[in-house]
Amino acid sequence: MNHIEAKGVYVIAPTPFMPDGKIDESSIDRMTDFFLKAGVDGITVLGQLGEAPKMTHEESVGIVKRVLAGAKVPIVVGVSAPGFAAMRALTQDVMALGATGVMIAPPNTLRTDDSIVQYYKQASEAIGADVPFVIQDYPLTFSVQMTPAVIRRIHTDNPSCWFLKHEDWPGLDKISQLKAWEKDGSLRRLPILIGNNALFLDFEVERGADGANTGYCFPDMLVDVVRLSKAGKRDEAHDLFDAHLPLIRYEQQPGPGMAVRKYVMMRRGIIAHDTLRKPGASLSPTARAEVDYLMARVARVDPRARV
Amino acid sequence: MNHIEAKGVYVIAPTPFMPDGKIDESSIDRMTDFFLKAGVDGITVLGQLGEAPKMTHEESVGIVKRVLAGAKVPIVVGVSAPGFAAMRALTQDVMALGATGVMIAPPNTLRTDDSIVQYYKQASEAIGADVPFVIQDYPLTFSVQMTPAVIRRIHTDNPSCWFLKHEDWPGLDKISQLKAWEKDGSLRRLPILIGNNALFLDFEVERGADGANTGYCFPDMLVDVVRLSKAGKRDEAHDLFDAHLPLIRYEQQPGPGMAVRKYVMMRRGIIAHDTLRKPGASLSPTARAEVDYLMARVARVDPRARV
Amino acid sequence: MNHIEAKGVYVIAPTPFMPDGKIDESSIDRMTDFFLKAGVDGITVLGQLGEAPKMTHEESVGIVKRVLAGAKVPIVVGVSAPGFAAMRALTQDVMALGATGVMIAPPNTLRTDDSIVQYYKQASEAIGADVPFVIQDYPLTFSVQMTPAVIRRIHTDNPSCWFLKHEDWPGLDKISQLKAWEKDGSLRRLPILIGNNALFLDFEVERGADGANTGYCFPDMLVDVVRLSKAGKRDEAHDLFDAHLPLIRYEQQPGPGMAVRKYVMMRRGIIAHDTLRKPGASLSPTARAEVDYLMARVARVDPRARV
Amino acid sequence: MNHIEAKGVYVIAPTPFMPDGKIDESSIDRMTDFFLKAGVDGITVLGQLGEAPKMTHEESVGIVKRVLAGAKVPIVVGVSAPGFAAMRALTQDVMALGATGVMIAPPNTLRTDDSIVQYYKQASEAIGADVPFVIQDYPLTFSVQMTPAVIRRIHTDNPSCWFLKHEDWPGLDKISQLKAWEKDGSLRRLPILIGNNALFLDFEVERGADGANTGYCFPDMLVDVVRLSKAGKRDEAHDLFDAHLPLIRYEQQPGPGMAVRKYVMMRRGIIAHDTLRKPGASLSPTARAEVDYLMARVARVDPRARV
């Protein structure tokens, strides 16, 4: 199959809900439009922070359809599931609708190199060897550790392997290793987009990452930082990044992080409500005030935070 | 809601597949018929060892429908899922078909007493407070440890809590504790059916367990052991149980255990094929020969193993 | 026993080594002196990031003796061990030398509320009910999750419980809860010093934490931030903190973080070498250059980073 | 270094305590004598079920010295520790006393093939490349999964690798794989002694294991089963093994298992008390009665259980 590129910012889209938990379709439209205007290069829907496991199959398909209607960029759909049957079913439906590829996270029971490699082989067979897939390497959440060599084996075994969503922690040397292999020809082109709420975006791009695949509440900032860094404007990139770092860190908290993200996106007018489905928690008034304070501080440097 | 009892053997049904991985409906019929003739008091479908995560929603509903068509006993359906939406969707469909209740395992990220109690509260709200549910307490597989006090809290909080599928290991003192509380009135009636492939069935029943909720390849033996034990025929119960123990132990291995179970059920003529869906492994010829040897040894005491 | 207070900064001391791995005693002296001049309120030696498990008993005692010789502040000694005998032996030796108390982390096998409470009860009995001990609540590393209620039980059960080294993540609401209980009298005075490399120090102090108990390479900055925050100079506290945050984040990486800390402390002249004992990794040249760059950026705001 | 063989039964010795928790030296003598008369080929002291982490360094050395005084067989000493310094210190002391080698378990944080291989390399360097060491492969307890290929890498990398204490579960195919490699020359001679409380000893020996390295309360039975099996008396081996299996299973329970073992050894007159050090639990009266019942049943076949 033909190589597909990936670079810049593939934003992880949250799933907007109405206060009663129903899917908020008009917010999906507004959010998609916002992403495009922000200059993203792609959109990933139904990732972990898209609250994917909280949706039924029908809802998942509906969300993808809605985003696809407004998007002019590649769409990646998270299809991770406890079994291959559900993974295949969702993949088939969203690829038929026009998605570009899917993202697959490893189940948290995998413990050996071979078992990880085998899992991706079987997953690729299950969804179809022609469906581009993204490796999600997020040990903090999935408890599965992939060495660079394991990632290379997966990418080599599967021509349909598209790019790496890199969110190992620490992960800088992993990027350096993979990019060195890409350079010396021992690894075919493997785009690396980083996640982990962009906590290390500044240095990750300098290490060779091709961009970001994460959902920080200011994806427009991510676009700028990647652009500045790729343009060699190192200090400018760090200045902008550092202004956001206190909020990035705050949003990266497991659990409340997703509520922070939705709260800021609501304040920015991107989505209408900051509702999470259960078992998602809402922010305490104190936490909201802390986020407001952080936004006010960001606004001193980045006017987009003035809301 | 009215109290529902549970005792004797609620067999965990495997899901029979054709060699190509399709669901083998005629084997479902034959197996259901076999279970009823074996004297089981209930049937649990789509448990972990029913390969539940490998089925699509539609397949799951189809299997339940098929079992219900042949069953004259209560049917429990495993509805564990990574999110409440899928859990609710499957619960609604199978309850509408006539299932008696559902079984819910905790997600393997729960670490505190409160988080476990809250999970069952939210799960019960998600599926409907009128749907009887079974607590699956299986730390070896789910990495979630529930103390007797946590189980009591869940049972007290949720009138729709039906029974405990107890498969902690070690678990004998847990049964003793819960039954002591039931006796002194500090815990309302909580039937306990044991799992863990019946590895401790002999003593678990003596400790007060009400029966078994597991899928050993000789459920007819489980029925006999529970009956003998409840009738006070201790030595006879142990004699029969011990004759099977070498095979029980062999079948209890994580991973190949399910292949062992299906292989024996195929040899017994209960299902047509011993196919597992991926990522399930098949038995090596050596392993099959070992199972054959074990069956031959069981057959010296229990003629049902002569096949 | 009499209540002992804890507030301000209890710095976590690294263990300085010679390039050949021997303990660098003159660096211990210089470092202790530096800590005192920086205005710390206490020193914790042999914590996780003091590479405690890499020392023999004799080495551990020697390090404590050396720090005690130069210190005029309370000394806490990490005594976590896989068994109570080694914990008791080290505790007795360091208390006899003049340590003020010890720090105990839970073994990573604990899974239920009761088992955590019981562990601290048994640990306290093992070391002696008169030895002040610190609870280390660090789920990210230890995989043990303690709810506020569990911490309250431990503190209530054990009069010798001294303070909480709080490094849960997320942890802001945990501080708020414990401080609310302290205020309403349902929890006796429990000082909370935060860890987690100070990644949330800014808000943690605002939530009521009494200070920090961590080892960031600029403990003098931690002292200032706590002081500013307690003095109500919120913006100043955040300004200083935010200037360091890019480096704090970089140092907080599991694995290389300890090498970053020692490298900066070496550059600052606090210790002579940045050697780690195996299996500790050293920094790559690229990583060192990144740290240099971060320090140069910190130096624009905080002259102490000009080295 | 010269190859050292290992076969037959290397019994895992418990550590006998007085009722007050002191080490019971005369029971050590009696137990050592019993082991030799039972025909064991080696003794492993200070394993997990020797309650190793509950001893101080001095106590550990004292126990080894005592066993060595009475032993005429190879002695293996468990030296697993959270750091290499303690591991090296204990190794040096026990090797100087005359131990034949040491046993090393991996720390439960290892997650990738390379990290496991590297750990054993570093451990071997730490203890000295001339010290024979045993790989303990016990995923159920240590959460570390070693594939056959990883074990081969460790054995190939380290000439001082002595034998494999195999206690994976399931593990039969792992033995077959390693023995096939040994046969085809792709793995140098690697003796395999099985653990896991001998739960699969019958088939493990048939798969090629060289013996057992476990501590079941009837090590004399293990000696007989290995001998019968190696002599081709398959049915006799299984008959004897199966008679003990109900008790083996009962003793294999995590937690109470160690108390069961000591209780039976006390009843057999091998040790004077069944005391465990904290946090070890004692058996409830009900559990003791269950063990008594199981022993009575074993005694119908094996007169050694008549006590």
Side-chain angles (χ1 to χ4, degrees), chain C residues 17-237:
Chain C
F17 297 112
M18 303 296 289
D20 65 359
K22 290 220 175 66
I23 290 164
D24 177 359
E25 302 211 325
S26 72
S27 282
I28 293 181
D29 297 343
R30 206 171 349 150
M31 178 181 71
T32 305
D33 194 50
F34 168 81
F35 288 154
L36 296 177
K37 286 190 178 129
V40 306
D41 301 275
I43 302 174
T44 297
V45 292
L46 299 173
Q48 291 290 314
L49 290 187
E51 301 179 66
K54 301 175 187 174
M55 253 61 80
T56 62
H57 178 88
E58 287 68 30
E59 288 176 327
S60 297
V61 172
I63 292 162
V64 172
K65 189 181 278 183
R66 195 90 190 185
V67 172
L68 277 165
K72 298 154 199 118
V73 294
I75 300 298
V76 183
V77 180
V79 296
S80 303
F84 292 137
M87 186 186 291
R88 181 194 299 115
L90 184 56
T91 298
Q92 288 177 340
D93 285 357
V94 300
M95 292 303 288
L97 288 172
T100 308
V102 299
M103 178 166 69
I104 299 171
N108 65 8
T109 47
L110 302 180
R111 284 287 168 274
T112 67
D113 288 7
D114 288 348
S115 66
I116 301 168
V117 171
Q118 185 190 28
Y119 181 79
Y120 276 97
K121 189 77 197 157
Q122 292 187 336
S124 177
E125 288 169 7
I127 61 172
D130 57 332
V131 176
F133 72 85
V134 175
I135 305 171
Q136 186 172 12
D137 178 22
Y138 196 8
L140 187 66
T141 291
F142 303 128
S143 304
V144 175
Q145 292 192 11
M146 307 186 198
T147 59
V150 162
I151 292 166
R152 179 163 63 175
R153 285 172 63 190
I154 297 169
H155 195 52
T156 302
D157 282 5
N158 301 284
S160 58
C161 180
W162 180 11
F163 68 86
L164 174 67
K165 183 180 200 307
H166 164 278
E167 29 198 356
D168 200 351
W169 178 54
L172 294 171
D173 287 345
K174 190 180 241 181
I175 294 172
S176 294
Q177 177 67 79
L178 289 167
K179 286 298 167 183
W181 284 342
E182 195 182 274
K183 200 170 179 183
D184 74 17
S186 65
L187 172 69
R188 71 176 167 92
R189 167 72 180 147
L190 173 62
I192 300 178
L193 303 184
I194 64 87
N196 211 0
N197 211 41
L199 195 68
F200 287 88
L201 175 63
D202 47 351
F203 290 112
E204 284 167 334
V205 176
E206 296 175 11
R207 293 286 187 121
D210 299 276
N213 186 199
T214 189
Y216 176 56
C217 53
F218 286 83
D220 26 1
M221 181 278 284
L222 302 177
V223 170
D224 291 347
V225 167
V226 172
R227 186 180 41 78
L228 288 166
S229 187
K230 290 294 180 191
K233 300 182 178 176
R234 188 186 200 191
D235 291 345
E236 283 178 63

Side-chain angles (χ1 to χ4, degrees), chain B residues 28-164:
Chain B
I28 293 181
D29 297 343
R30 204 171 349 149
M31 178 181 72
T32 305
D33 193 51
F34 168 81
F35 288 154
L36 297 177
K37 285 188 179 133
V40 305
D41 301 275
I43 303 174
T44 296
V45 291
L46 299 172
Q48 291 290 314
L49 290 187
E51 300 178 69
K54 302 176 186 173
M55 252 63 80
T56 63
H57 178 88
E58 287 68 31
E59 288 176 327
S60 297
V61 172
I63 292 161
V64 173
K65 188 181 278 184
R66 195 89 189 188
V67 172
L68 277 164
K72 297 156 200 113
V73 292
I75 300 297
V76 183
V77 180
V79 296
S80 303
F84 292 137
M87 187 186 291
R88 181 194 300 115
L90 183 56
T91 299
Q92 288 177 341
D93 285 357
V94 301
M95 292 303 289
L97 287 172
T100 307
V102 300
M103 177 166 68
I104 299 172
N108 66 6
T109 49
L110 302 180
R111 283 288 169 274
T112 68
D113 288 8
D114 289 348
S115 66
I116 301 168
V117 171
Q118 186 190 26
Y119 182 79
Y120 276 97
K121 189 76 197 157
Q122 292 187 336
S124 177
E125 287 169 8
I127 61 172
D130 58 330
V131 176
F133 71 86
V134 174
I135 304 171
Q136 186 172 14
D137 179 22
Y138 195 10
L140 186 66
T141 291
F142 303 129
S143 303
V144 175
Q145 292 192 10
M146 308 184 199
T147 59
V150 162
I151 293 166
R152 178 164 61 176
R153 284 172 64 190
I154 296 169
H155 195 52
T156 302
D157 283 4
N158 300 284
S160 57
C161 180
W162 180 12
F163 68 84
L164 174 68

Side-chain angles (χ1 to χ4, degrees), chain B residues 276-305:
Chain B
L276 269 73
R277 280 194 176 172
K278 285 185 183 175
S282 62
L283 294 182
S284 66
T286 307
R288 288 184 178 231
E290 288 167 346
V291 175
D292 292 345
Y293 180 70
L294 286 168
M295 285 183 71
R297 290 178 62 83
V298 172
R300 297 175 311 172
V301 173
D302 188 339
R304 290 173 290 207

Side-chain angles (χ1 to χ4, degrees), chain A residues 140 169-170 199-200 202-203 207 234-235 238-239 241-242 245-246 249 252-254 256 286 290 293 297, chain C residues 140 169-170 199-200 202-203 207 234-235 238-239 241-242 245-246 249 252-254 256 286 290 293 297:
Chain A
L140 187 67
W169 177 56
L199 193 68
F200 287 88
D202 46 352
F203 291 112
R207 293 285 187 121
R234 189 187 199 190
D235 291 345
H238 279 273
D239 287 344
F241 179 81
D242 286 358
L245 186 55
R249 162 213 56 167
Q252 199 224 7
Q253 296 176 84
T286 306
E290 288 167 344
Y293 180 70
R297 290 178 62 83
Chain C
L140 187 66
W169 178 54
L199 195 68
F200 287 88
D202 47 351
F203 290 112
R207 293 286 187 121
R234 188 186 200 191
D235 291 345
H238 280 273
D239 287 344
F241 179 82
D242 286 359
L245 186 55
R249 160 214 58 165
Q252 200 226 6
Q253 297 175 83
T286 306
E290 288 167 345
Y293 180 70
R297 290 178 62 83

Side-chain angles (χ1 to χ4, degrees), chain D residues 275-294:
Chain D
T275 314
L276 270 73
R277 280 194 177 172
K278 284 184 182 176
S282 61
L283 294 182
S284 66
T286 307
R288 288 184 177 230
E290 288 167 344
V291 175
D292 292 344
Y293 181 70
L294 286 168

Side-chain angles (χ1 to χ4, degrees), chain D:
Chain D
M1 59 189 289
N2 294 325
H3 173 69
I4 315 175
E5 253 312 318
K7 60 187 175 54
V9 174
Y10 276 54
V11 66
I12 300 280
T15 302
F17 298 112
M18 304 294 289
D20 65 0
K22 290 222 176 64
I23 290 164
D24 176 359
E25 303 211 323
S26 73
S27 281
I28 293 181
D29 297 343
R30 206 174 346 154
M31 178 181 73
T32 305
D33 193 52
F34 168 80
F35 288 154
L36 297 177
K37 285 189 179 133
V40 305
D41 301 275
I43 302 174
T44 296
V45 292
L46 298 173
Q48 291 291 314
L49 290 187
E51 299 177 70
K54 301 176 188 172
M55 253 62 79
T56 62
H57 178 89
E58 287 67 32
E59 288 176 327
S60 297
V61 172
I63 292 162
V64 173
K65 188 181 277 183
R66 196 89 190 188
V67 172
L68 278 164
K72 297 156 199 116
V73 293
I75 300 297
V76 183
V77 180
V79 296
S80 304
F84 291 138
M87 186 186 291
R88 181 194 299 115
L90 184 55
T91 299
Q92 289 177 340
D93 285 357
V94 301
M95 292 303 288
L97 288 171
T100 307
V102 300
M103 177 166 69
I104 299 172
N108 66 7
T109 48
L110 302 180
R111 283 290 170 273
T112 66
D113 288 8
D114 288 349
S115 65
I116 301 167
V117 171
Q118 185 189 27
Y119 181 80
Y120 275 97
K121 188 77 197 158
Q122 292 187 337
S124 177
E125 287 168 9
I127 60 172
D130 57 330
V131 176
F133 71 86
V134 175
I135 304 170
Q136 186 172 13
D137 179 22
Y138 195 9
L140 186 66
T141 291
F142 303 129
S143 304
V144 175
Q145 292 192 11
M146 308 185 198
T147 60
V150 162
I151 292 166
R152 178 162 63 175
R153 285 173 64 190
I154 297 169
H155 195 52
T156 303
D157 282 5
N158 301 284
S160 57
C161 180
W162 180 12
F163 68 84
L164 173 68
K165 181 179 200 311
H166 164 280
E167 29 198 356
D168 199 352
W169 177 56
L172 294 172
D173 287 346
K174 190 179 239 180
I175 295 172
S176 294
Q177 175 67 78
L178 289 167
K179 286 297 168 185
W181 284 343
E182 194 182 276
K183 200 170 180 184
D184 74 19
S186 65
L187 173 70
R188 71 177 167 90
R189 168 73 180 147
L190 173 62
I192 300 177
L193 302 184
I194 64 88
N196 212 358
N197 211 39
L199 194 69
F200 287 89
L201 175 63
D202 47 352
F203 291 111
E204 285 167 333
V205 175
E206 296 176 11
R207 291 287 187 121
D210 300 277
N213 186 199
T214 191
Y216 176 57
C217 53
F218 285 83
D220 28 359
M221 180 278 285
L222 303 178
V223 170
D224 291 346
V225 167
V226 172
R227 185 179 43 76
L228 287 167
S229 188
K230 291 295 181 191
K233 299 183 176 174
R234 187 185 201 191
D235 291 345
E236 282 178 64
H238 280 273
D239 287 345
L240 178 56
F241 178 82
D242 287 359
H244 280 268
L245 187 55
L247 181 55
I248 288 175
R249 161 212 58 165
Y250 198 97
E251 192 190 283
Q252 199 226 7
Q253 296 175 83
M258 192 59 218
V260 172
R261 182 176 298 172
K262 283 194 164 177
Y263 173 68
V264 176
M265 292 181 81
M266 182 184 70
R267 282 203 54 203
R268 296 188 72 191
I270 303 168
I271 59 176
H273 314 283
D274 61 353
T275 314
L276 270 73
R277 280 194 177 172
K278 284 184 182 176
S282 61
L283 294 182
S284 66
T286 307
R288 288 184 177 230
E290 288 167 344
V291 175
D292 292 344
Y293 181 70
L294 286 168
M295 284 183 72
R297 290 178 62 84
V298 173
R300 297 175 310 172
V301 172
D302 187 339
R304 290 174 291 207
R306 273 177 217 138
V307 289

